[in-house]
Structure formats: C-alpha cells, structure tokens
C-alpha cells in the first residue's frame, strides 16, 4: 500500500483578522493517483484547504491552527521552505499572481532554475511541456499580452514542468471558454493516466468535468466536511427565462472601433449598440478580444480608430481586486456614496456579504471578491455596466442572486454587457448575444437562434446549454 500524500487529522484554521475559523475539524486522507474535487458554497474555505495542503497556509499568513497535517508522512511544519513544492505543484485561481518573468519560455526556465535543474536539461524539459500543453507557438510570447484563459494554461504548464506527484488546481476552468475547458480536461485526463499524478481541484463547474473525478469532498458554509464520497456526474442547472425589459433608447454606441497592441491588431472595426433595459452577452474563445473590448468601451484602453459615445460606464474586470479602494467589504460597497443605507444593506444581504462586512476585501475568497466588486458597481447605480466573467468562482446560490440583480438593473433601464463562457447563464440572461473571434465582433444573435445552431457554436468554441432545475439544492 502506497503512503498517502496527505493525512489531515482534526485540523482547524482561523485567519488572524477573523473571529471564527474558516476550516473546522477537517479529517481526511488523500492517496496517490487520486482524482478528487473539493466543492462547496463560495467562501466556505475551499481555496484555504488547498493552500493548507501545499503548506502555503498557515506559514504565510500567521493563521491560528489546531490538529495536524502530514504530507508524504511528515508533519507539514517539518518541511523546509520550498521543499514540499518539488512534489506538490499548485495553479492558483488568479494566474497573474504566480508569474515572475515576461515571456512563456523565460517563466518556464525560471521555474526550473528555482528547482536547480542543470542548465543542459532545461531546453528538453521546456520543449516537452510546451508540446504537451499545446503552447509551442507561444514560446516567446509576452505573458501579460495574453487572455486570462491563456494565462491559466501557461500557469498550468509551469506547475507541470516541475514533474510533481500531486497537482493542486484552484478553479482551473474559471477563465476558459467551454471547448478549451473540455480540451484542458481531456489533456489532463491523458496526462494523469500516463504519469499517475494525483489531481486535486477546487471547482464549481462540475458539469464540464464529466466523469473525470473519482471522489468529492463537499465543504459546508461553516468550513466543515459535509460529505466525502465517490463522485457522481451532475447536469448543470440553468436559470429560467428572463422577461425582457422595455427597450426605450440607445444609451451607448461604438462605431468602427480598432485597438492594437505592439503592432498587432486586437480589435477590428467593432460596431456595438446598447439599449436601455437590455442585457447583451459577448461570448467566444479565449484570446478573441472580449476583455480588451470591455476595457476599450470604458476608456481604460485608448482606441486607434472609431468612435465611442454614451453614458458613463461601470466596469467589473476579471481580476476584481483591481477596483478595491477601501479597507472593508462594506466600505467598498459604500464608497461611491450613490446608494442609501437601506440599499447597501439589501445588497450586502443579497450578495451574501454580511458575514464578511468588516473583512478587508483582499482577504476574502476569489468568489467573494467578485461579488464585492459587482456589489460596489451596483451600488454606484450607473446606467451602463460591463461585467467581465462575473460567474467565475460562483456557486448556484450566488449565480441565482447575480441573475436577479442583473434582471433588476435591466428592469430599471440599465444597459448591461456580460462577457461569459457560461452558456447556461448566458442563455437565460441574454436579450441578445454577440460572438467574438480574432478581434471581430459578429451578431447580434437572438439566444434561441444561436443555441440551435451547432455549427456556429462549434466555430466559436461554445457548447449547447444544459437544462436543469434552478431551485434544486446546489450541493445535494
């Protein structure tokens, strides 16, 4: 019998700035070659548990702990700094947080240098991992010029080049388009079968993984293990159809918009018209220019040609912490001063933020950060909202409330643009859908028109939404 990779015995963990523990009395064993998924509502401690397993916590945050964690039979605290990372590789939820070098090849080489791999061995290992991950053409590419999805693949390649025995993934599909996500899972499945590496992932989008996982550990809202059992595939729930708001007037218009970066054309002659009370979804493959378009529309990026006219825009980016200006969650929502105290209390409750009201917005989970940023923009009460991947890292409860908030703002006459890879959410919330590929925007399409056209979905790397019962328990 092989020695377990992890043995966790009655382990509890509390962040120094929180009154209550994030994880409570966790006991579990994880063996070599296992494929395990950690699930649970947003903010329940899933990512925290992952970072306990790779020894990042409590050693880098002064957390208070009780119980024991053993890694390959040794107590976690007995490992020297960095020692365990030769066997346990991690891909974080925000890939930008782990990049140090400008290009893909330099980042891979930097990883090998930290492992003291002989220089003469580096080219072969870099070539191999680039081939395995399909990143050969990006070898000399500048990492910060790529989309969030591409950055996730690069971060995964950097983890795998260490040739670990266990791979920890924190919501690896959050920024991947559906077909890229399926390809990633297929590739990971092949790699795991060949190498026998253990794969442990924190994930909300279980429907995309199919039968990949063998075991599920579900955490409850208070950070305890609610269930630990063999995994069963689930269908994705979908929200009910939204009654469209009355379209009154054009609030915003882009005409002939072009954007380039480092002499490369990113956006090509974009035309887009947004009307009062309308929800527009923009979908398409990773790297197609969706996030760039939102940044151009809100004025973050300078356009090279064309015109943009309309109302003042609110923007929630893929990395929500870029917006934070306050020292508490409730302070962040109140920052604009445009909402009444009653409205702020309603948003805090609706977005499930009251229990973290006094926490620093940088200290909460990634899913909670996203809800804080969305709440701040909703509280600002602008008539134009641009949301970049707002569904990433959200459980069913949070998705349902996001749907309701978007619906409410649309009924009030707000125009909203949602960039998303989640076709279940898109099919239920969209009044119209634009598709994007290679910097070119097509459409608009009616949702029923798009989702009945399999050839068009395949061309833009999208999938058919699955029907399901919205009101079924999210983690039954």
């Amino acid at each position: 019998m092989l020695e377990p990779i992890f043995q966790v015995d009655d382990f509890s963990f509390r962040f120094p700035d929180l009154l209550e523990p994030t994880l409570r009395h966790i006991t579990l064993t994880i063996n070599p070659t296992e494929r395990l998924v950690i699930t649970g509502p947003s903010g329940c401690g899933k990512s925290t548990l992952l970072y306990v397993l790779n020894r990042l916590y409590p050693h880098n945050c002064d957390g208070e702990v009780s119980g024991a964690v053993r890694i390959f039979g040794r107590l976690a605290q007995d490992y020297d700094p960095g020692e365990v990372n030769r066997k346990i590789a991690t891909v974080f939820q925000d890939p930008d947080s782990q990049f140090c070098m400008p290009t893909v090849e330099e980042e891979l080489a930097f990883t090998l240098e930290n492992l003291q791999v002989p220089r003469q061995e580096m080219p072969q290992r870099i070539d191999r991992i680039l081939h395995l991950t399909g990143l050969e053409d990006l070898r000399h590419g500048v990492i910060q010029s790529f989309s969030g999805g591409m950055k996730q693949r690069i971060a995964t390649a950097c983890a795998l080049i260490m040739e670990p025995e266990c791979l920890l993934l924190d919501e690896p599909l959050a920024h991947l388009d559906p077909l890229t996500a399926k390809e990633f899972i297929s590739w990971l499945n092949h790699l795991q079968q060949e190498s026998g590496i253990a794969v442990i992932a924190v994930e909300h989008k279980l429907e995309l993984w199919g039968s990949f996982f063998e075991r599920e550990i579900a955490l409850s809202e208070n950070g305890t293990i609610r269930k630990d059992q063999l995994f069963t595939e689930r269908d994705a729930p979908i929200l009910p159809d939204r009654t469209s708001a009355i379209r009154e007037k054009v609030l915003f218009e882009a005409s002939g918009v072009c954007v380039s970066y480092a002499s490369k054309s990113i956006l090509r002659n974009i035309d887009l018209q947004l009307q009062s009370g309308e929800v527009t979804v923009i979908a398409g493959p990773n790297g197609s220019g969706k996030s760039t378009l939102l940044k151009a529309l809100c004025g973050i990026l300078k356009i090279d040609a064309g015109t943009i006219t309309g109302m003042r825009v609110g923007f929630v980016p893929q990395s929500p912490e870029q917006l934070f200006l306050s020292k508490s969650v409730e302070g962040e929502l109140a920052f604009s001063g445009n909402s009444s105290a009653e409205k702020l209390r309603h948003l805090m409750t609706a977005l499930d933020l009251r229990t973290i009201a006094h926490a620093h917005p940088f200290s909460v989970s990634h899913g909670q950060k996203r809800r804080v940023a969305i709440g701040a923009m909703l509280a600002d009460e602008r008539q134009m909202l641009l949301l970049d991947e707002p569904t990433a890292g959200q459980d069913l409860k949070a998705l349902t409330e996001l749907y309701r908030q978007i619906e409410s703002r649309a009924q009030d006459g707000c125009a909203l643009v949602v960039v998303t890879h989640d076709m279940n959410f898109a099919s239920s919330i969209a009044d119209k859908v634009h598709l994007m590929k290679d910097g070119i925007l097509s459409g608009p399409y009616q949702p029923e028109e798009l989702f009945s056209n399999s050839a068009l979905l395949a061309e833009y790397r999208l999938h058919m939404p699955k029907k399901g019962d919205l009101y079924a328990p999210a983690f039954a």
Side-chain angles (χ1 to χ4, degrees):
M1 182 95 178
L2 294 175
E3 183 177 56
I5 298 177
F6 300 107
Q7 290 176 290
V8 183
D9 184 24
D10 196 25
F11 181 84
S12 297
F13 174 86
R14 182 180 68 82
F15 286 102
D17 58 341
L18 296 181
L19 295 177
E20 297 295 327
T22 299
L23 298 174
R24 303 170 188 258
H25 306 293
I26 302 294
T27 296
L28 60 89
T29 298
I30 301 174
N31 294 305
T33 76
E34 274 206 82
R35 301 179 180 203
L36 183 147
V37 63
I38 301 172
T39 64
S42 181
C44 70
K46 301 184 298 297
S47 295
T48 299
L49 176 57
L50 209 68
Y51 299 158
V52 166
L53 297 180
N54 72 1
R55 201 180 170 275
L56 183 63
Y57 291 165
H59 305 282
N60 291 286
C61 66
D62 297 322
E64 180 181 295
V65 303
S66 63
V69 176
R70 286 180 170 79
I71 306 174
F72 295 104
R74 289 172 57 187
L75 288 171
Q77 60 266 32
D78 291 344
Y79 282 89
D80 293 329
E83 181 184 1
V84 76
N85 302 114
R86 295 176 179 272
K87 294 184 175 183
I88 311 294
T90 307
V91 178
F92 296 98
Q93 205 170 79
D94 179 7
D96 281 319
S97 65
Q98 59 194 104
F99 295 135
C100 299
M101 305 300 287
T103 71
V104 175
E105 183 176 50
E106 289 172 310
E107 186 69 32
L108 291 168
F110 181 75
T111 303
L112 295 177
E113 286 175 354
N114 284 333
L115 296 176
Q116 298 182 326
V117 172
R119 183 172 294 272
Q120 61 271 20
E121 294 181 18
M122 290 185 182
Q124 182 180 358
R125 288 181 65 168
I126 291 174
D127 288 344
R128 176 177 175 270
I129 204 65
L130 288 173
H131 176 71
L132 283 174
T133 54
L135 299 175
E136 296 102 319
D137 294 340
L138 305 184
R139 176 189 287 267
H140 303 295
V142 177
I143 293 173
Q144 292 306 319
S145 70
F146 296 130
S147 68
M150 281 298 181
K151 289 178 181 177
Q152 193 75 12
R153 293 179 64 186
I154 294 165
T156 304
C158 291
L160 293 170
I161 203 170
M162 295 189 287
E163 299 180 351
E165 295 183 41
C166 181
L167 179 64
L168 306 181
L169 303 170
D170 196 357
E171 297 220 38
L173 309 184
H175 301 298
L176 301 184
D177 64 66
L179 289 189
T180 299
K182 289 286 189 179
E183 290 170 356
F184 174 84
I185 294 165
S186 177
W187 166 77
L188 190 63
N189 178 60
H190 177 73
L191 176 72
Q192 198 275 340
Q193 287 178 341
E194 282 197 344
S195 65
I197 187 174
V199 177
I200 302 169
V202 167
E203 187 56 83
H204 284 296
K205 298 180 178 179
L206 293 180
E207 71 277 4
L208 291 175
W209 290 87
S211 59
F212 179 89
F213 294 113
E214 303 164 335
R215 178 181 168 199
E216 177 184 9
I217 293 177
L219 299 184
S220 62
E221 289 188 355
N222 67 356
T224 61
I225 292 180
R226 190 174 65 79
K227 74 178 173 185
D228 181 351
Q229 65 180 28
L230 295 180
F231 180 80
T232 55
E233 184 177 354
R234 312 178 192 184
D235 283 339
I238 187 168
L239 299 167
D241 292 336
R242 183 174 69 87
T243 301
S244 298
I246 298 174
R247 317 291 182 259
E248 295 179 355
K249 59 182 178 179
V250 175
L251 296 183
F252 194 90
E253 190 165 11
S255 179
V257 169
C258 298
V259 171
S260 61
Y261 178 81
S263 301
K264 180 182 178 182
S265 180
I266 307 298
L267 300 180
R268 308 178 188 184
N269 295 315
I270 300 294
D271 294 324
L272 182 66
Q273 189 179 85
L274 305 174
Q275 293 179 298
S276 171
E278 187 173 62
V279 179
T280 300
V281 165
I282 299 178
N286 292 118
S288 60
K290 302 184 298 297
S291 296
T292 300
L293 174 57
L294 294 195
K295 291 175 183 177
L297 295 179
C298 69
I300 293 177
L301 289 181
K302 181 180 178 181
I303 64 176
D304 299 319
T307 59
I308 296 176
T309 58
M311 306 189 70
R312 197 165 61 104
V313 172
F315 174 51
V316 179
Q318 278 190 26
S319 299
E321 57 269 19
Q322 294 174 1
L323 296 182
F324 295 156
L325 298 168
S326 302
K327 294 182 179 180
S328 70
V329 167
E330 63 180 3
E332 200 62 44
L333 267 68
F335 185 82
S336 70
N338 291 334
S339 286
S340 65
E342 181 180 357
K343 173 68 178 295
L344 291 174
R345 284 195 296 270
H346 170 74
L347 280 174
M348 291 287 290
T349 300
L351 298 173
D352 198 19
L353 300 175
R354 293 191 66 178
T355 58
I356 57 169
H358 303 296
H360 197 289
F362 281 94
S363 71
V364 301
S365 77
H366 197 75
Q368 289 170 325
K369 287 178 184 177
R370 197 170 297 277
R371 297 205 301 279
V372 172
I374 291 170
M377 280 300 158
L378 290 172
D380 199 14
E381 297 191 343
R382 301 190 187 191
Q383 287 300 100
M384 274 285 306
L385 283 180
L386 311 179
L387 308 177
D388 196 356
E389 293 288 355
T391 66
Q394 304 304 318
D395 57 38
L396 179 56
K397 178 182 176 183
L399 286 176
T400 304
E401 188 53 48
L402 175 63
Y403 171 90
R404 290 171 179 158
Q405 292 296 329
I406 290 176
E407 180 186 46
S408 175
R409 294 296 290 126
Q411 295 291 349
D412 288 342
C414 182
L416 300 100
V417 179
V418 178
V419 166
T420 184
H421 292 307
D422 187 335
M423 292 301 97
N424 291 75
F425 193 81
S427 67
S428 61
I429 201 67
D431 294 307
K432 65 183 182 183
V433 182
H434 283 271
L435 299 179
M436 197 161 198
K437 187 173 68 170
D438 299 326
I440 299 173
L441 193 70
S442 66
Y445 303 92
Q446 293 300 309
E448 58 272 17
E449 171 192 6
L450 170 63
F451 294 119
S452 63
N453 190 331
S454 58
L456 192 59
L457 291 172
E459 180 184 352
Y460 285 87
R461 304 183 66 81
L462 305 174
H463 67 83
M464 191 77 69
K466 290 184 178 181
K467 295 291 182 180
D469 182 3
L470 167 64
Y471 300 105
F475 302 102

